[in-house]
Amino acid sequence: MKQATVLIWIKTQLNWFIVPLLFSYIWLGSPIQSFSQHRLSLAGDWQLRLDRDDKGIREHWWLFPFPDRVKLPGSLTENGKGDKVTLQTPWVGDIVDSTYFVEAKYGKYREGDIKIPFWLKPLHYFAGPAWYKRQIDLPDNWTNQRITLNLERCHWETMVYVNGQFCGTRNSLVAPHQFDVTPYLKPGRNTLVVRVDNRVKTHLGPNSHSISDHTQTNWNGLVGDLSLLSSSKTYIDNVQLFPNLAAKAVSVRFSLNQPRRQTFKGTVRLQARSLQADAKPLPAVELPVSSSTEASSLTTSYQLANPLLWDEFTPNLYSLAVQLIDEQGKPLSEQDVTFGMREISTQGTRFTMNGRPIFLRGDVECATFPLTGYPPTTEPYWEKIMKTAQQYGLNHLRFHSWCPPEAAFRVADRLGLYLYVESPLWANQSSAVGTGGVVDAFIYQESEEILKTYGNHPSFCMMSYGNEPGGAGQNDFLGRWVDHFKHKDSRRLYTSGAGWPILPENQFNIDSKARVQQWGEGVNSIINKGIPRTSYDWRETTQALTVPYVSHEIGQWCAYPNFKEIKKYTGVVKATNFEIFNETLNEAGMGDQAEAFLNASGRLQTLCYKADIEAALRTPGFGGFQLLGLHDFPGQGTALVGALDVFWESKGYTTPEEYRTFTNATVLLARMDKLIYENTETLRAALEIAHFGASELHDQTIGWQVVDTNGKVYQSGSLKKEHVTFDNGQPVGMVQVPLSSFKKPTMLTLKVSLKGTRITNSWNLWVYPAGLDADAATGKVVVAQRLTPDVIKQLQQGANVLLLPFGRVKPGKGAEVAIGFSSVFWNTSWTKNQAPHTLGLLCDPAHPLFATFPTEASSNYQWQDIVSHSQVVLLTDFPKQLRPLIQPIDNWFENRRLSLAFEGKVGKGKLMVCSVDLESDLARRPSARQLKYSLLRYMNSARFNPTLALDPQQVSALFNEELSSSLPGQKN
């Protein structure tokens, strides 16, 4: 036995003071004596009454039977309760695009069993108070016990009545609602009533993901653990553990509570155990404790010899049992807390975990749960989400304006995922912070609840007030919020808000400047306007900062809807948005192209995300990125921004293996100032490596190859890297490949790999013959800019005509469609029709048009210049059989049949209409030059043989030119 004098900090209800206590550390090899609270589950059948007129409190409903029945835990919608969704449903969330309510094309969807396009449609909807009642038989041995009602997750305000007496109210979106119901219970049969009101109780911002119909639905109910817990009236509470790696110890803070005018003397026993397999028992420690106050706060320390550390690579966990024992040796109260020995901090612009630099590779989780309509409170679904994120190379999740339940933290602890949690607010749009009102108070209330409830979880690494705040006083308020919590609880890092503001108090910043596409940038972004390259980064944005910088909601690149997904909605919501989009696609005659649109747009989406992520990895000292997203967002007009659907399942056009080439802990990079070459040039690629693995690397070999689409290797080599530390964009060496041997247009791939590992990456390149005279391939083709009477006469007499109407497409015929190289950003509905309006291109690479223009079925960088010098043509008025040869994929709200190139018969002749600029500055536009050459070669071949007849008057109506009334074949 070892005696020592230890200072235990004690906080009474009035103040803090230090009490020197003489106690014995007793190191025990045997486990601590088992103790468990008694728990009575309340899951099962409950009575229900919906309070549509909010009169239940005035009429004392808690005193009367309720006519309906539900099963809890669950929501009203899960129980088939609520109202039919109508145009008057009181949604929570902004609807930015009002066209659904006024445009004729949506008319039939506004009638009967309506369909909505802006988010998922609940099967039933109820906004208001709902009253839940059940009978409880109290066990005989619960006499003289403290009894707590636990409601794990509520949405959102609750009132509780026991045996007709009001027990209190709770208003939290982040933590269990707990009520001390001891004074109200009696032996035997008791009546419990819970009133749940899911109307907006505090103006958090209508789009906050904690409450909005955009995401989890505005549900009413009680989910998770519903129970009564009995314990001694003298008990320990709020155990908080603070790891100290330098001291190889964990600081233990907890409260001791007892009835008034009572003195407690006894012992607190502490015993940790490793949760790793085959771990040996750790010693127990006993501390004599005495207190005569109603509530005391105590602090002590527990030593851990050679502790196993927690991080993404080795998520080692411990459990600490804290037990209160009276003088007779009877256990009164116990809390068993899981924790990890880890310290997250910063060094300059780097995050560190246990002193080692880390890089955040994250996704934004927006409370999207289409089967339940609320966040699951059990582990299996969270395990699916988090394991999938890791399979795609990520180590981090951000919870956008909401806090997940306990199960999410437990799974993240076990898997080694870094979590960034927000209070449940997006105080913008019509809300604000820093006003001194109830919103500010609610932020502090919920922040305190989050830390108290989930603060011990090692996965809980970062926190902010919420998302993208508004308010003139936000900087002062949020600066004080950050200061308050970083001094109160040092176990995690704090920032003001996701997106902004950057404040001197922030321990790290989340900002949107460092991404490929800015909100409102349209087709003027790097990926749409600049030449295709992989050499840009964000150092100009971040070089002046002194704390880590995380790029905010990068990506937001859309793919076309996957209509096979509709059948997955077997829960509380239906994808009527997808149903509308599918129906309008079929009405436009393109229903058979849905799968092709999905795959082509998905391949472009993948390319765009790769560009965004690799730019972050190339930036020296960069802190991390948060995607929006790896999976889809079902609201805000429907934002199909994920490689995965809202169920966290693949859409089929990319794989975890492909994503990991540019998202993993170690990523090979290539800086290239251009991706489009002529064969008189030399390919130059500066290879780099971004590495944030478990340890540094030494004596590495990076192999490289330049291969064609058939896998033929044209040149290869290797480079040595003696020391790979933890950093972005570490130089490896230069690859230089002369391209003079490529006499024909060729698509190449630069492949790199880290020897002895599965770490690879690749980039596509294109080489075109220099000095090519595209017009030399004109042959017998008549090239025209306008469909003049003379041109039509030649067509009718059998000529092959290439019509190049670029710059003259009429409004209403395609001029209004903003085409860009990139995919749609977020979606056109929520962004007020922000450009681009298209989702890339669809073409058939086997078509003879592309015989000398290498392409895939989808857009790649060789199309960037071509698309940037083009106009879309609308084929709505043409026969549905007319399919473009180069087809821009329209956004799903419009589903227009678009074209950059289509063909048909006119009389005896054959017409090709290409609305790409194939005439301007072709000497410096090798892709456009090669496309024109390939197109002309095709038109001079026997394979140019369109069968669909076109009306020249109809073709001419697309462009700013009028046909003469005396055209050949036309009546005056």
Side-chain angles (χ1 to χ4, degrees):
M1 182 178 294
K2 180 181 179 181
Q3 290 190 332
T5 300
V6 174
L7 297 182
I8 295 185
W9 284 91
I10 295 181
K11 183 184 180 183
T12 68
Q13 290 178 312
L14 299 176
N15 57 11
W16 287 87
F17 60 92
I18 300 174
V19 178
L21 294 178
L22 183 66
F23 63 88
S24 300
Y25 280 112
I26 303 177
W27 300 94
L28 303 173
S30 58
I32 198 167
Q33 182 178 347
S34 176
F35 174 86
S36 61
Q37 288 180 312
H38 298 288
R39 178 179 175 273
L40 178 64
S41 173
L42 301 179
D45 293 329
W46 289 61
Q47 298 176 31
L48 169 71
R49 187 174 181 183
L50 301 182
D51 195 353
R52 300 181 187 280
D53 300 318
D54 197 7
K55 59 185 181 181
I57 295 177
R58 297 193 305 274
E59 296 181 354
H60 298 188
W61 279 14
W62 59 89
L63 298 177
F64 305 102
F66 297 165
D68 211 345
R69 297 291 184 273
V70 291
K71 285 189 179 297
L72 298 179
S75 70
L76 289 179
T77 308
E78 283 181 306
N79 281 278
K81 309 299 180 182
D83 302 320
K84 183 179 179 180
V85 171
T86 69
L87 297 179
Q88 286 73 45
T89 293
W91 302 112
V92 177
D94 288 332
I95 301 175
V96 172
D97 181 4
S98 63
T99 56
Y100 168 76
F101 298 97
V102 296
E103 286 197 359
K105 69 178 182 179
Y106 289 117
K108 64 180 178 179
Y109 302 117
R110 298 192 295 265
E111 299 174 353
D113 188 12
I114 69 170
K115 296 183 178 183
I116 56 175
F118 34 81
W119 51 61
L120 301 173
K121 177 189 169 185
L123 298 179
H124 302 88
Y125 195 94
F126 181 78
W131 294 73
Y132 304 87
K133 174 184 283 191
R134 68 163 293 159
Q135 303 298 314
I136 308 164
D137 290 320
L138 207 65
D140 294 338
N141 60 354
W142 282 26
T143 306
N144 296 321
Q145 295 287 298
R146 177 178 181 266
I147 302 174
T148 304
L149 172 65
N150 186 66
L151 309 175
E152 182 179 354
R153 183 132 304 203
C154 314
H155 196 255
W156 68 356
E157 182 187 75
T158 58
M159 294 181 180
V160 169
Y161 299 79
V162 173
N163 296 326
Q165 299 182 73
F166 178 62
C167 304
T169 185
R170 300 288 184 272
N171 180 1
S172 175
L173 291 160
V174 301
H177 291 201
Q178 294 185 331
F179 298 81
D180 184 349
V181 293
T182 309
Y184 312 102
L185 290 168
K186 61 185 180 181
R189 178 61 57 96
N190 291 265
T191 301
L192 170 65
V193 176
V194 182
R195 177 185 183 269
V196 181
D197 191 349
N198 64 328
R199 294 173 297 182
V200 174
K201 312 308 296 181
T202 304
H203 196 42
L204 314 179
N207 303 313
S208 300
H209 297 342
S210 54
I211 61 172
S212 177
D213 285 299
H214 284 291
T215 56
Q216 63 176 300
T217 76
N218 180 30
W219 59 281
N220 186 306
L222 301 170
V223 302
D225 176 66
L226 310 179
S227 61
L228 288 176
L229 302 173
S230 77
S231 65
S232 167
K233 292 183 178 180
T234 299
Y235 63 97
I236 55 175
D237 191 23
N238 192 23
V239 176
Q240 299 293 328
L241 308 180
F242 291 75
N244 186 331
L245 301 191
K248 296 182 179 181
V250 57
S251 175
V252 184
R253 304 177 188 176
F254 59 97
S255 62
L256 190 156
N257 303 276
Q258 61 184 338
R260 294 180 63 192
R261 302 185 182 92
Q262 180 173 308
T263 296
F264 172 79
K265 290 185 178 182
T267 305
V268 170
R269 301 182 71 196
L270 309 176
Q271 185 173 33
R273 59 188 175 95
S274 171
L275 300 184
Q276 309 314 115
D278 302 322
K280 295 180 180 180
L282 299 175
V285 176
E286 288 189 352
L287 300 90
V289 173
S290 65
S291 175
S292 58
T293 60
E294 189 174 351
S296 304
S297 295
L298 291 81
T299 296
T300 186
S301 181
Y302 184 92
Q303 295 293 133
L304 286 166
N306 303 313
L308 299 172
L309 303 186
W310 184 96
D311 67 8
E312 63 189 282
F313 304 106
T314 55
N316 299 302
L317 293 173
Y318 289 90
S319 176
L320 181 71
V322 183
Q323 190 177 80
L324 186 67
I325 304 168
D326 67 14
E327 286 186 298
Q328 288 72 44
K330 178 184 177 182
L332 300 180
S333 175
E334 180 182 321
Q335 288 201 7
D336 201 337
V337 180
T338 300
F339 69 100
M341 292 298 288
R342 68 101 175 113
E343 291 177 353
I344 187 167
S345 187
T346 64
Q347 293 176 0
T349 61
R350 278 270 168 256
F351 291 102
T352 63
M353 178 60 72
N354 307 328
R356 177 178 50 78
I358 62 172
F359 185 87
L360 297 182
R361 312 182 307 279
D363 188 32
V364 180
E365 171 45 62
C366 299
T368 52
F369 305 103
L371 296 180
T372 58
Y374 57 76
T377 56
T378 56
E379 295 187 17
Y381 198 70
W382 286 108
E383 190 160 296
K384 174 183 178 179
I385 288 174
M386 293 178 180
K387 282 186 174 180
T388 302
Q390 290 179 321
Q391 289 167 3
Y392 280 77
L394 305 184
N395 65 357
H396 164 53
L397 283 182
R398 171 197 162 207
F399 294 89
H400 180 311
S401 59
W402 75 290
C403 176
E406 174 72 18
F409 291 95
R410 290 199 301 265
V411 173
D413 290 347
R414 192 168 66 247
L415 296 180
L417 208 66
Y418 306 136
L419 303 186
Y420 161 57
V421 176
E422 296 177 4
S423 299
L425 297 96
W426 183 358
N428 205 322
Q429 288 83 38
S430 53
S431 182
V433 303
T435 63
V438 293
V439 171
D440 290 358
F442 191 75
I443 291 170
Y444 271 90
Q445 170 197 306
E446 293 290 77
S447 301
E448 297 281 4
E449 285 292 330
I450 290 171
L451 292 175
K452 176 182 177 182
T453 308
Y454 311 110
N456 290 311
H457 289 284
S459 58
F460 182 9
C461 294
M462 290 149 283
M463 185 176 175
S464 74
Y465 112 88
N467 183 64
E468 298 174 355
Q474 64 177 277
N475 286 10
D476 180 62
F477 172 80
L478 293 174
R480 286 185 280 108
W481 181 92
V482 170
D483 267 346
H484 172 79
F485 286 105
K486 71 186 180 185
H487 289 107
K488 176 185 177 70
D489 188 337
S490 61
R491 292 174 292 183
R492 54 202 45 86
L493 302 174
Y494 300 89
T495 192
S496 54
W500 62 76
I502 292 178
L503 301 176
E505 293 88 352
N506 289 354
Q507 293 178 294
F508 66 102
N509 295 308
I510 302 179
D511 184 70
S512 60
K513 295 183 183 66
R515 64 188 192 197
V516 167
Q517 183 91 15
Q518 297 294 320
W519 189 275
E521 200 169 15
V523 294
N524 294 313
S525 60
I526 289 174
I527 200 166
N528 281 293
K529 191 172 184 179
I531 64 169
R533 58 195 175 100
T534 65
S535 55
Y536 52 86
D537 61 31
W538 314 126
R539 68 186 70 199
E540 291 185 3
T541 299
T542 61
Q543 62 185 359
L545 298 178
T546 57
V547 298
Y549 181 107
V550 179
S551 49
H552 176 59
E553 297 181 357
I554 72 170
Q556 305 189 40
W557 305 114
C558 288
Y560 196 77
N562 178 15
F563 296 129
K564 293 179 181 178
E565 185 182 319
I566 294 173
K567 63 185 180 183
K568 293 185 178 182
Y569 291 86
T570 58
V572 299
V573 295
K574 294 298 180 185
T576 62
N577 46 357
F578 277 43
E579 293 172 8
I580 292 172
F581 309 145
N582 192 23
E583 289 171 20
T584 59
L585 184 71
N586 282 302
E587 290 167 0
M590 297 182 290
D592 61 320
Q593 291 188 290
E595 189 76 11
F597 287 171
L598 168 67
N599 289 325
S601 62
R603 292 309 301 158
L604 175 61
Q605 178 199 62
T606 305
L607 179 149
C608 292
Y609 272 105
K610 177 179 169 72
D612 249 320
I613 292 167
E614 288 187 351
L617 290 169
R618 289 191 296 265
T619 305
F622 207 73
F625 60 81
Q626 293 169 344
L627 300 176
L628 191 55
L630 180 61
H631 66 300
D632 284 344
F633 183 97
Q636 294 187 7
T638 310
L640 306 176
V641 294
L644 309 175
D645 61 26
V646 72
F647 300 90
W648 284 81
E649 294 171 349
S650 173
K651 300 179 188 177
Y653 50 74
T654 186
T655 64
E657 292 76 17
E658 180 180 23
Y659 252 69
R660 288 200 300 270
T661 65
F662 53 85
T663 59
N664 220 346
T666 302
V667 175
L668 298 171
L669 303 163
R671 285 185 188 263
M672 292 176 280
D673 289 331
K674 59 193 308 184
L675 301 176
I676 311 298
Y677 294 87
E678 294 182 325
N679 60 1
T680 55
E681 297 180 285
T682 296
L683 161 64
R684 291 182 173 85
L687 301 189
E688 298 178 349
I689 185 170
H691 176 65
F692 295 92
S695 59
E696 295 183 341
L697 305 176
H698 299 275
D699 300 322
Q700 298 298 301
T701 300
I702 293 89
W704 61 269
Q705 294 179 325
V706 175
V707 303
D708 67 11
T709 53
N710 296 316
K712 179 181 177 181
V713 178
Y714 282 91
Q715 196 162 333
S716 63
S718 63
L719 297 165
K720 299 289 186 180
K721 182 73 172 175
E722 292 184 4
H723 182 206
V724 181
T725 185
F726 303 114
D727 206 353
N728 305 79
Q730 301 171 68
V732 172
M734 181 68 70
V735 170
Q736 299 191 71
V737 180
L739 302 173
S740 56
S741 62
F742 297 97
K743 305 303 181 185
K744 296 180 179 180
T746 307
M747 175 178 165
L748 299 172
T749 302
L750 172 63
K751 295 184 175 182
V752 294
S753 61
L754 191 63
K755 185 178 179 180
T757 74
R758 296 183 179 180
I759 296 168
T760 65
N761 206 348
S762 62
W763 301 266
N764 296 132
L765 318 160
W766 291 264
V767 183
Y768 298 114
L772 175 71
D773 182 3
D775 293 329
T778 301
K780 297 180 180 180
V781 174
V782 176
V783 179
Q785 286 73 42
R786 287 178 169 81
L787 207 56
T788 64
D790 180 61
V791 170
I792 292 180
K793 181 178 180 180
Q794 293 182 70
L795 273 169
Q796 292 178 334
Q797 291 175 351
N800 291 353
V801 173
L802 172 60
L803 181 64
L804 299 174
F806 173 72
R808 295 185 297 281
V809 179
K810 284 182 179 179
K813 300 297 183 179
E816 69 280 7
V817 181
I819 186 172
F821 170 69
S822 77
S823 184
V824 166
F825 178 82
W826 198 234
N827 65 75
T828 55
S829 173
W830 184 261
T831 62
K832 299 181 180 179
N833 213 34
Q834 175 177 279
H837 302 155
T838 54
L839 295 150
L841 302 178
L842 176 65
C843 57
D844 178 5
H847 193 281
L849 168 59
F850 305 110
T852 57
F853 183 82
T855 188
E856 302 146 293
S858 57
S859 297
N860 210 323
Y861 282 116
Q862 85 275 31
W863 286 101
Q864 197 262 10
D865 171 77
I866 293 168
V867 167
S868 298
H869 296 78
S870 71
Q871 281 188 297
V872 165
V873 170
L874 208 57
L875 299 182
T876 305
D877 298 330
F878 286 77
K880 291 182 179 179
Q881 308 94 286
L882 179 59
R883 288 287 169 84
L885 300 176
I886 306 174
Q887 183 173 9
I889 303 168
D890 199 11
N891 67 80
W892 51 89
F893 298 103
E894 304 297 337
N895 278 330
R896 298 162 291 196
R897 190 161 29 120
L898 308 179
S899 173
L900 292 186
F902 67 93
E903 62 183 10
K905 294 193 305 181
V906 176
K908 297 179 181 180
K910 292 168 281 189
L911 175 66
M912 173 73 71
V913 181
C914 182
S915 52
V916 176
D917 180 2
L918 296 180
E919 298 181 299
S920 301
D921 203 18
L922 294 187
R924 294 193 294 180
R925 298 174 56 218
S927 291
R929 183 179 70 220
Q930 191 65 46
L931 177 63
K932 183 176 184 180
Y933 177 82
S934 192
L935 191 155
L936 288 169
R937 286 281 301 269
Y938 163 62
M939 292 183 67
N940 277 294
S941 73
R943 302 186 69 179
F944 180 46
N945 190 30
T947 57
L948 184 67
L950 299 176
D951 180 352
Q953 184 81 43
Q954 195 175 25
V955 174
S956 183
L958 298 169
F959 312 115
N960 288 317
E961 54 197 27
E962 297 298 331
L963 287 175
S964 167
S965 60
S966 59
L967 284 174
Q970 301 289 327
K971 293 182 180 180
N972 292 328

